[in-house]
Amino acid sequence: MPQDQTLSMLRRGYTFRSSVFGHGDDRDAVVIRFLGQPTLFVTGETGARLFYDDSRLTRVDAAPAAAGNLIFGRGGVQGLEGEAHQARRRLFLDVLDREGVARLTDVVRRRWQEAQYHWVAAGRASLHGAAVEVLGRSALEWAGVDAPDPVRTAHDLAAIIDGFGSIGLRNLRGRLARRRCEQLARDAVATARRTAPATGIRARSPLQAVAHAREADGSLLDLRVAGVELLNLLRPIVAVAWFVDFAAIALAKHPRWRARVSTAGSDADRTAFVHEIRRYYPLAPLLAARAKKEFSFAGSTVQPGQRVLLDIIGINHDPRLWNAPWRFEPERFLRRVPGEYDFVAQGGGPFATGHRCPGEPTTVALLEELARALADLPFHISRAELSFPAHRVPTRPLRGPVLRDLGAAARHPTGVSVETNREPHEEDWTMSSHADLVAAVTAQHGQIAQLISRTAQSEGETRREAFEALRRLMALHEAAEQATIHPLVTASNGEGSEVGQERVEEEDEASNLMERLESFDVTSYEFTIQVQLLEEAVTFHANAEETRELPRLRDAPEADLRRAIGALSTVEQLSSPESEWSPGDRSFGAMVRSAATLFAVATTPADGRNG
């Protein structure tokens, strides 16, 4: 009996398929064990045709509950079949028709321009969070949903997306976010139902359309289900933020396409670029269905109820379907139109009647608009921010991308970046110190991530050595931040206090996970699982620091910034195994307390104020 592949799938993410289909493997199907059951894993155009054959497969109860209930919700259109599916799908097609998409694009364009003004004034922008807020607030406005805190709702929708590929903390945060979003959606639908529906689909807002939608039998949608479907309209709009990240990376790595995607470029080039973004860069690695009846495929017999998984990454990079599939080449879409079964970035099969995502044209339209806006905007991305982890689902550049050097666009509306002969001012040096601090923090975040990965992937003595190095660096890094960085944010006015406290609580959570790891033998299965949970916690925390905490220190006093940089420099020195500071046999918590004493002494200024 083959070994169960569930854990391998969770650990390897987008690279899992390479452990099933080897290089040059031309098979279209392999039987694996997934969630303890035999599962047919299909790839290629032939596999896609099977997956979207409604006479043999169904979506009902196909996705694992931890992922399906989080991303789609219970009772949503994605899990329906037959007349019920077609009736529900018509709701989405009506709302997302050409006029509806045009109205949404107009809202996104306006909000992006408003946000871009502030980014340019600041000289930089953390793209993912900014895109989430623009798209989330635009979706709510377009749909007619009055959210008490639109920014919080936008990030909740993003948390739902971010958690579907995890079984750890990201999934938990996603489920909590879904609970809040579903309550908001139900309340919005209930309020809309107390208002007489406007006449004609175009006279109604998307919220009204969902609130008064009916099932195939003519009955009004259940209130809870209507709320789920409202979120199934809003959530995919926010998901475009992931593609926006990759569009910025592609423009940075392939600058010859900036002019072609910009306002001065052509619609055809822009569409080709967007299709290649969706083909080349991943969002989801696979989809799930179940067999309705017994049938044979590629030499395997599939039993009723057996799962079938579709290899999205493999199909979109299949050398039998795509020339040089691992090369980013938008020109390919100037020569061909995406097919129903060879391009499955957002599902496959016939668009009008099948299970292909009804929001696919919306994604294309929004990404064309935002890719154009990015191409028009002079920016720079650090080389370190161009990479993304292949094991994380959904993936994105966790250390960015941060758009830098935007100030020239503010001084020169033409978009041309021009050097000036202006003498440096004091505020320039403050910004330089802030940039140095950001670089130091993100560099150590990268080192910690590498040590976690090495701990997870190695065995025996190599794993033990990697784990000891991880304990040492994390304890020093955490103590340095708690002595110098978090107090600065917590002491700031407004939301800063809450932001700083949240980071401390996240570090406490990571510390608890680390001490739990210390209780297991490094060769044990429990240790392996706990390392994954630690990785989830640390990744979330590092991203929150870089996007929510560090930007608040841009105007911090120069002396405080230099003090924090000095503390992180000390971390680099003490984290070396050859340094005099030795953790010995102490627990992780004791190591942090010992390091905190060092930094409290080292960072206390002469006036006695603790930095």
Side-chain angles (χ1 to χ4, degrees):
M1 180 178 296
Q3 182 179 3
D4 191 275
Q5 299 280 356
T6 307
L7 183 58
S8 175
M9 187 180 296
L10 290 169
R11 289 182 59 180
R12 301 191 61 168
Y14 299 93
T15 65
F16 170 73
R17 61 102 44 207
S18 64
S19 68
V20 178
F21 298 100
H23 180 71
D25 193 336
D26 61 358
R27 292 177 297 173
D28 287 320
V30 174
V31 176
I32 65 172
R33 289 191 71 80
F34 175 62
L35 295 177
Q37 301 294 325
T39 299
L40 189 68
F41 193 22
V42 301
T43 192
E45 186 173 4
T46 303
R49 289 185 180 277
L50 166 68
F51 192 82
Y52 291 102
D53 182 351
D54 288 344
S55 69
R56 291 190 282 183
L57 298 180
T58 178
R59 273 73 189 155
V60 177
D61 296 327
N69 290 343
L70 174 57
I71 193 71
F72 301 135
R74 291 183 294 112
V77 62
Q78 295 87 353
L80 301 179
E81 290 292 329
E83 291 184 6
H85 174 258
Q86 291 304 316
R88 198 78 63 81
R89 184 179 175 84
R90 279 194 295 273
L91 164 65
F92 288 85
L93 294 176
D94 287 343
V95 171
L96 296 172
D97 68 356
R98 182 172 299 180
E99 187 176 339
V101 173
R103 289 206 314 273
L104 172 59
T105 304
D106 287 343
V107 176
V108 170
R109 181 185 303 113
R110 170 172 52 79
R111 285 197 172 273
W112 185 274
Q113 290 171 348
E114 292 169 354
Q116 182 175 298
Y117 174 82
H118 296 288
W119 306 338
V120 170
R124 57 186 284 138
S126 180
L127 182 60
H128 184 76
V132 163
E133 291 183 11
V134 167
L135 289 161
R137 297 181 71 180
S138 298
L140 293 167
E141 177 184 339
W142 166 78
V145 176
D146 185 15
D149 187 345
V151 172
R152 172 66 179 273
T153 301
H155 285 286
D156 276 348
L157 291 166
I160 292 171
I161 301 160
D162 198 48
F164 82 88
S166 164
I167 60 171
L169 294 175
R170 277 194 292 131
N171 188 273
L172 174 59
R173 291 188 179 98
R175 283 186 279 129
L176 294 175
R178 171 165 276 281
R179 188 180 304 171
R180 290 190 293 269
C181 286
E182 286 197 354
Q183 183 62 58
L184 171 69
R186 285 195 301 270
D187 291 346
V189 170
T191 299
R193 283 181 175 177
R194 291 194 289 269
T195 305
T199 303
I201 187 67
R202 286 279 59 84
R204 291 185 286 175
S205 68
L207 170 59
Q208 289 175 318
V210 172
H212 299 286
R214 297 186 176 274
E215 301 279 21
D217 62 5
S219 62
L220 201 63
L221 288 185
D222 173 79
L223 179 62
R224 184 192 62 78
V225 172
V228 166
E229 298 298 35
L230 179 59
L231 294 185
N232 280 333
L233 271 177
L234 302 177
R235 170 187 45 76
I237 297 171
V238 175
V240 174
W242 272 254
F243 287 126
V244 171
D245 290 343
F246 290 122
I249 287 175
L251 289 170
K253 294 178 71 172
H254 307 278
R256 65 190 180 87
W257 274 91
R258 291 189 73 150
R260 299 177 70 169
V261 175
S262 71
T263 301
S266 70
D267 291 342
D269 279 349
R270 205 170 297 119
T271 299
F273 179 82
V274 164
H275 284 330
E276 184 69 346
I277 290 289
R278 297 191 306 126
R279 184 199 71 84
Y280 187 83
Y281 291 103
L283 190 57
L286 53 84
L287 291 171
R290 285 190 185 272
K292 289 181 175 179
K293 58 186 179 181
E294 180 180 318
F295 63 87
S296 295
F297 181 80
S300 298
T301 300
V302 181
Q303 300 297 328
Q306 185 174 327
R307 271 198 179 92
V308 177
L309 300 180
L310 180 69
D311 176 22
I312 294 177
I313 298 298
I315 295 172
N316 287 342
H317 294 82
D318 190 336
R320 297 171 297 179
L321 302 173
W322 306 95
N323 181 50
W326 291 103
R327 186 168 64 208
F328 185 82
E329 187 179 279
E331 290 93 343
R332 70 178 83 243
F333 288 104
L334 297 176
R335 302 186 294 266
R336 65 183 287 180
V337 176
E340 293 180 344
Y341 301 102
D342 62 5
F343 184 51
V344 291
Q346 290 174 262
F351 178 76
T353 59
H355 285 272
R356 200 174 192 101
C357 177
E360 186 172 23
T362 308
T363 297
V364 171
L366 294 180
L367 193 51
E368 285 178 353
E369 174 61 33
L370 298 184
R372 180 197 59 76
L374 284 171
D376 286 346
L377 178 66
F379 65 83
H380 169 72
I381 295 178
S382 166
R383 181 178 298 276
E385 296 165 359
L386 298 179
S387 61
F388 50 92
H391 68 277
R392 188 187 196 274
V393 179
T395 190
R396 64 179 182 84
L398 297 182
R399 297 176 61 186
V402 176
L403 306 185
R404 297 178 174 86
D405 301 336
L406 300 178
R411 295 191 297 271
H412 304 283
T414 59
V416 179
S417 179
V418 179
E419 293 288 334
T420 70
N421 295 319
R422 179 176 63 85
E423 291 297 319
H425 293 299
E426 182 179 355
E427 57 267 26
D428 294 321
W429 295 108
T430 301
M431 290 179 65
S432 176
S433 295
H434 177 262
D436 288 344
L437 176 61
V438 171
V441 172
T442 55
Q444 289 186 14
H445 284 171
Q447 293 169 17
I448 290 170
Q450 289 176 357
L451 285 172
I452 293 176
S453 178
R454 193 181 308 163
T455 301
Q457 296 175 12
S458 58
E459 298 177 352
E461 188 60 28
T462 303
R463 169 178 274 190
R464 184 172 286 105
E465 291 174 356
F467 183 52
E468 285 304 312
L470 173 63
R471 291 173 70 235
R472 188 185 190 96
L473 178 56
M474 275 190 62
L476 289 163
H477 179 81
E478 183 175 310
E481 288 189 332
Q482 292 187 4
T484 61
I485 295 178
H486 302 327
L488 289 176
V489 179
T490 303
S492 63
N493 295 326
E495 190 186 0
S497 176
E498 180 181 351
V499 170
Q501 185 58 38
E502 286 175 349
R503 304 294 78 75
V504 173
E505 291 173 357
E506 290 163 4
E507 288 177 350
D508 290 343
E509 182 180 30
S511 295
N512 291 334
L513 287 169
M514 182 64 84
E515 292 196 341
R516 200 173 306 155
L517 269 169
E518 291 173 330
S519 69
F520 298 117
D521 186 277
V522 296
T523 63
S524 66
Y525 175 79
E526 291 82 0
F527 184 92
T528 301
I529 296 298
Q530 287 293 321
V531 170
Q532 294 179 26
L533 296 178
L534 178 67
E535 182 177 40
E536 299 282 355
V538 169
T539 298
F540 179 89
H541 170 68
N543 184 55
E545 277 190 346
E546 294 173 19
T547 59
R548 298 197 64 206
E549 186 174 50
L550 292 179
R552 293 178 178 277
L553 299 181
R554 188 172 288 110
D555 297 323
E558 170 73 7
D560 288 334
L561 292 173
R562 301 311 304 178
R563 191 174 299 116
I565 293 169
L568 292 170
S569 177
T570 301
V571 170
E572 291 290 334
Q573 299 169 18
L574 297 183
S575 61
S576 169
E578 290 76 27
S579 75
E580 295 181 0
W581 188 77
S582 174
D585 295 328
R586 289 176 290 184
S587 69
F588 182 77
M591 291 168 63
V592 174
R593 289 189 292 273
S594 173
T597 303
L598 291 174
F599 289 117
V601 173
T603 61
T604 301
D607 63 3
R609 180 173 56 87
N610 192 331

